Amino acid sequence: MKDILKKLKEWWQQKTAPVTEWLKHFFAPFIRWHKRFCQPFYAWISRTFGPFWHRFQVNRWLITLFLTLFLVVSVLGTFEAKTTDVTDLKKQLQSTTEIYDNAGNKAGSLSGQKGTYVKFRDISPHAVNAVIATEDRHFYREHGFSIKGMTRGVLTTIWYRIRGSHVSVGGSTLTQQLVKNAYLSQDQTIIRKARELFLSIEVEKEYSKHEILAMYLNNAYFGHGVWGIQDASKKYFGVDAADLSVSQGAMLIGMLQSPNGYDPLTYQDAAKNRRDQVLQNLVATKYLTQAQADYNADLPVNAVDHEVDNSNYNYPYYFDSVINEAINTYHLKEQDILNNGYKIYTTLNQDDQANLQADYENPNLNPIGDGSQAASIVMDAKTGGVRAIIGGRGEHVFRGFNRATQSRRSPGSTIKPIVDYGPSLSRGFSYDSDLKNSTMSFGTNGYSPSNYGDYTSDKIPMYQALENSYNIPAVWLLDQMGVSVGYDAAKKAGLPLTKSDKNLALAIGGLKKGVTPLEMTQAYTSFANDGQMSKSHFITKIVDASGKTIVQAKQKHTRLWSRKVANEMTSMMLGVYTHGTGASADPAGYDVAGKTGTTEVSGTDSTSDNATDSWAIAYTPDVVVTTWSGYDETDASHTISAYLSQTSGPLMKTTLEQVIPNTEQTKFKTKSVRSKMAATKDNESTSQNGFKDNINGIGDEIKQGASSTWNNVKDGAQKAWSGIQSLLPEF
């Protein structure tokens, strides 16, 4: 045996000698360069750091550090795998996040990264074979990860980095890709890869290979906003996933590498080349013969854009607001909200929301015309729950700009009850207090407000100043109290004022940054709710896919006014929509209180009849409704009328007439100032008439008594005279 091995060795050396000599000759310059320049450097390193290295046993410390790091990563990875409930993964991928209204009825759903979920048996075997051949050929022999694949991915990525490229090669199994999409971020980091590995092992323990394949294909992205193999089949070929042909299945699986780059509707040549490559992968894994692959490669792509809509995003602006609140208030991630199958319970009233959306489609309710914008909010006065919301006209963009919650505009005169009249009633003024309404200047800078049309008059009672939205009385009143009084009241009401707003212009809505319709609506709940402001909100509860409640909202209230002041403010504001600036929006058959406001154009483009913002806020004891309209950007050619009837009036009137019948229709606890005054006048008139009747009655009685007394006196005198005559002698 030894002789055989010796002869085999000699034979090998003889055969490889030419190659060995060639390699020595080829690498000789490098070896000489290495001996000349590198070995002296190594010797210097050894002399300089050798003693230190050996003294402190650095080798052992490095080994210890590596083992410790490995142990920590293993422990953390195991901990995450064991604490992550992968048993809910399939349920999460099958379930969509659902939105429920204030009555507990389903209002719609957030599809997110989900399409129509189909079981493994409902997916064409051609697509299954293609994904195995292209994405993970050892899928059925692996336990969730591939050491060979991960090593290849790491080394290839390092090679790309050395060459200055930022391309990353994953080397992940199908299970790892599923875990990454379902639980983790897309960042290429060591920590993420470690978490991915441990979670993949856990998923493999819980689910069969067929279930994992089905979850992967149902959670894959296929371009054009389409998720899942079923909707992709419908989108591009108009067939179910179960009916995909070899060519169709190869094309869809080929898209997984780059859904946009291999889009068959836009880049047909690239999509065909990628499909043909997948067909060759099927040949390499013996799922197809070369003849079958060639036959399918000769077929055209034949992809057609079919309409696919499995979305139940029924109330876009409301659902946007729900997502934003879940993210900003409860710190959930958008990806989790869209994909984890939550049940989100809200304060939505579907009738109010549907009516609002229909109103915004009605051109007759937009007298400003094309290019203008608007926003509306309907809020429960007692709880602060938003019943309905619209953030703009025109096409909706997912989580796009919402004018109802994000647009900051000058509130105009709608701020007066908050900074002027409410605080004044708390400081001894009353609804009939006389306020100055003549031209005057205030402060050291000579601030000179004016009323609409430069109207002035003698002193007028407060309720008339409010009804007609006069500016001079409002500024005079704030000046009498002090600017800080109004400023503090606005801050307490949740309005985002800055220090630059602390001046007399605040009295009529002159703000630097402005306010949102949502903030103004919330502030007005204080007048409708006996002086307590209700914190605005959309969400009441969130339940995860397992049935666990992860969010339970609580109502919040802040007292801004006493009950007496709130009632007095309501008493005055009841006249705004009957005798004041809101008359054109007065809802037929219903009593509402509130305030309107316009922001006049400043500068050279200003006239007495143009404005930039139109506001209308109205409330009952049950609900507060706000409507804003105007242009996003204002210039000389984009201004609006100063009259409510030509701006927000028609929309506001229609909204009120739709919303109020849908509430409890609670009656106001107070009457309007004008009703009180009319009743007082009637009482005074009745009293005067009664007093006159009483006086006349007394006079009649006096007359009757005097006549009776005179007759008695007269009769007595006659009797006395007759007696005297009887005593005298007769002549």
Side-chain angles (χ1 to χ4, degrees), residues 216-229:
Y216 174 79
L217 288 172
N218 277 289
N219 196 45
Y221 182 59
F222 290 92
H224 290 279
V226 175
W227 294 84
I229 189 73

Side-chain angles (χ1 to χ4, degrees), residues 388-401:
I389 186 171
I390 296 289
R393 300 188 187 278
E395 184 178 356
H396 168 265
V397 177
F398 176 70
R399 292 195 68 197
F401 187 62

Side-chain angles (χ1 to χ4, degrees), residues 261-262 267-275:
Y262 297 128
Y267 307 107
Q268 288 198 6
D269 290 342
K272 183 181 184 305
N273 292 335
R274 178 61 178 164
R275 180 202 65 178

Side-chain angles (χ1 to χ4, degrees), residues 430-452:
S430 65
Y431 67 85
D432 59 353
S433 294
D434 286 332
L435 309 181
K436 290 186 178 181
N437 193 34
S438 56
T439 302
M440 63 184 72
S441 298
F442 300 90
T444 56
N445 61 345
Y447 178 59
S448 302
S450 61
N451 297 326
Y452 176 74

Side-chain angles (χ1 to χ4, degrees), residues 409-410 598-602 610-614 628-631 634 638-640:
R409 311 288 296 211
S410 170
T598 56
T599 305
E600 297 179 2
V601 177
S602 59
N610 67 349
T612 60
D613 301 278
S614 172
W628 167 88
S629 60
Y631 288 99
T634 302
H638 292 87
T639 61
I640 62 176

Side-chain angles (χ1 to χ4, degrees), residues 62-73:
L62 289 176
I63 294 172
T64 303
L65 180 63
F66 174 78
L67 292 176
T68 302
L69 181 62
F70 180 80
L71 177 63
V72 169
V73 171

Side-chain angles (χ1 to χ4, degrees), residues 222-226 231-239 251 255 263-266 268 301-309:
F222 290 92
H224 290 279
V226 175
D231 286 352
S233 303
K234 288 287 189 181
K235 175 70 174 178
Y236 298 110
F237 302 113
V239 301
M251 196 214 75
M255 292 181 67
D263 172 14
L265 301 178
T266 308
Q268 288 198 6
V301 172
N302 282 337
V304 179
D305 190 3
H306 296 84
E307 186 67 30
V308 175
D309 184 13

Side-chain angles (χ1 to χ4, degrees), residues 559-634:
R559 178 159 293 283
L560 301 187
W561 327 102
S562 67
R563 188 186 301 269
K564 178 175 181 294
V565 168
N567 286 337
E568 287 180 347
M569 284 302 306
T570 295
S571 182
M572 288 195 294
M573 285 193 281
L574 278 165
V576 171
Y577 284 87
T578 56
H579 295 81
T581 54
S584 63
D586 187 25
Y590 304 103
D591 293 329
V592 295
K595 188 72 183 73
T596 66
T598 56
T599 305
E600 297 179 2
V601 177
S602 59
T604 57
D605 297 326
S606 64
T607 69
S608 60
D609 293 326
N610 67 349
T612 60
D613 301 278
S614 172
W615 292 80
I617 305 178
Y619 64 89
T620 71
D622 302 313
V623 69
V624 182
V625 180
T626 297
T627 297
W628 167 88
S629 60
Y631 288 99
D632 285 336
E633 300 294 336
T634 302

